């Protein structure tokens, strides 16, 4: 197989999504203090998150703080969360792979999520200087988030490569690989044990061709070995 492009998911593939979430809680905490003169949102929001709450964290946190609120306030806090510039960093293995691949193969990103939030993640991580193409699928409407073919088609056009020459690396078995496989891409599942989508059970058509637990393991798969021109950095897996 001739590999000309490696395309990555963003959240929990290149950085820890929980870091973004907690950064957003801190931004909302500051907004709550400013708007309502109430402290404690950040701590309570993290507690709710760790308890498994996902859909109504803001509502339940304000309930625990005995704050009277309406939908307008909730939407305002959501906007603060989604538009804040996050305090996030590339994971070490992601940084290593980018440094070792940039001059050997075209690098791309396909990422779902609200456009403002995803744009600010890209900005905070300085990814424009590290990737040849970044496709934020929300540009094409939420109906074209993965597993829609649209972002995969656009990244191929942007990188000027054929589907058979592409590899996709992601962490979400429920949507990252089924379309890439149908288009003829090779796929790699990065298992982030502390990520947002661990232990998902899916049918075979949703599974990736390969499974790894560290992006450095890409160099151990025969099909990738020719991509790493630099001296390998010793590491254990």
């Amino acid at each position: 197989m001739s590999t000309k492009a490696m395309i990555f998911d963003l959240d929990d593939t290149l950085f820890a999504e929980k870091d973004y979430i907690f950064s957003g809680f801190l931004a909302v905490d500051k907004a709550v203090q400013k708007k309502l003169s109430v402290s404690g949102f950040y701590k309570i929001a993290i507690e709710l998150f760790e308890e498994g709450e996902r859909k109504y964290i803001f509502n339940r946190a304000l309930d625990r703080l005995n704050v009277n609120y309406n939908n307008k306030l909730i939407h305002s806090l959501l906007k603060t969360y989604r538009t804040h510039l996050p305090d996030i960093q590339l994971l070490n293995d992601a940084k290593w792979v980018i440094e070792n691949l940039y001059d050997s193969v075209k690098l791309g990103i396909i990422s779902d999520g609200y456009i403002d939030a995803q744009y600010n993640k890209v900005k905070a991580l300085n990814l424009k200087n590290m990737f040849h193409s970044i496709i934020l699928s929300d540009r094409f409407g939420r109906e074209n988030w993965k597993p829609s073919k649209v972002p995969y088609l656009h990244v191929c056009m942007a990188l000027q490569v054929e589907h058979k020459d592409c590899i996709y690396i992601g962490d979400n078995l429920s949507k990252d690989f089924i379309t890439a496989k149908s288009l003829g891409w090779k796929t790699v599942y990065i298992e982030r044990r502390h990520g947002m989508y661990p232990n998902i059970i899916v049918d075979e058509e949703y599974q990736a061709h390969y499974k790894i637990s560290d992006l450095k393991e890409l160099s151990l798969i025969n099909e990738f070995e020719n991509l790493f021109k630099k001296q390998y950095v010793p590491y254990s897996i």
Side-chain angles (χ1 to χ4, degrees), residues 48-211:
L48 288 167
F49 180 87
E50 297 295 352
E51 290 169 8
E53 178 62 58
R54 295 294 183 268
K55 194 172 183 180
Y56 297 111
I57 287 182
F58 291 3
N59 303 67
R60 292 189 59 190
L62 294 178
D63 285 338
R64 291 191 183 184
L65 290 169
N66 296 313
V67 171
N68 291 321
Y69 61 88
N70 52 30
N71 287 336
K72 182 178 179 180
L73 176 61
I74 296 297
H75 286 302
S76 173
L77 297 181
L78 279 172
K79 183 177 180 179
T80 297
Y81 178 88
R82 291 172 181 163
T83 60
H84 87 285
L85 187 64
D87 180 12
I88 53 177
Q89 296 81 37
L90 284 171
L91 292 165
N92 288 334
D93 61 339
K95 188 182 300 182
W96 187 91
V97 164
I98 294 166
E99 290 173 351
N100 281 272
L101 282 179
Y102 188 87
D103 294 328
S104 305
V105 65
K106 293 181 179 180
L107 297 181
I109 289 174
I110 295 175
S111 181
D112 290 342
Y114 294 100
I115 189 69
D116 289 336
Q118 299 309 102
Y119 175 80
N120 282 337
K121 292 172 187 176
V122 169
K123 182 178 179 180
L125 295 170
N126 196 30
L127 296 180
K128 285 188 176 181
N129 295 326
M130 303 179 192
F131 287 82
H132 302 97
S133 177
I134 298 173
I135 301 297
L136 305 180
S137 58
D138 200 37
R139 287 172 46 200
F140 313 109
R142 188 162 184 175
E143 68 275 11
N144 287 312
W145 289 15
K146 294 176 288 186
S148 166
K149 290 183 179 180
V150 170
Y152 298 90
L153 298 176
H154 274 274
V155 81
C156 280
M157 287 190 290
L159 296 176
Q160 297 183 329
V161 293
E162 297 182 34
H163 294 298
K164 64 181 178 62
D165 300 323
C166 296
I167 296 168
Y168 192 71
I169 302 97
D171 71 297
N172 190 340
L173 289 169
S174 68
K175 65 176 182 177
D176 278 340
F177 310 117
I178 184 170
T179 300
K181 288 171 67 178
S182 73
L183 292 171
W185 295 32
K186 287 296 182 181
T187 55
V188 180
Y189 169 53
I190 173 71
E191 184 180 38
R192 299 296 192 190
R193 292 187 176 87
H194 300 292
M196 298 293 290
Y197 304 103
N199 306 316
I200 294 179
I201 299 175
V202 296
D203 294 334
E204 184 176 353
E205 62 181 330
Y206 286 86
Q207 296 174 9
H209 295 99
Y210 301 98
K211 176 182 176 181

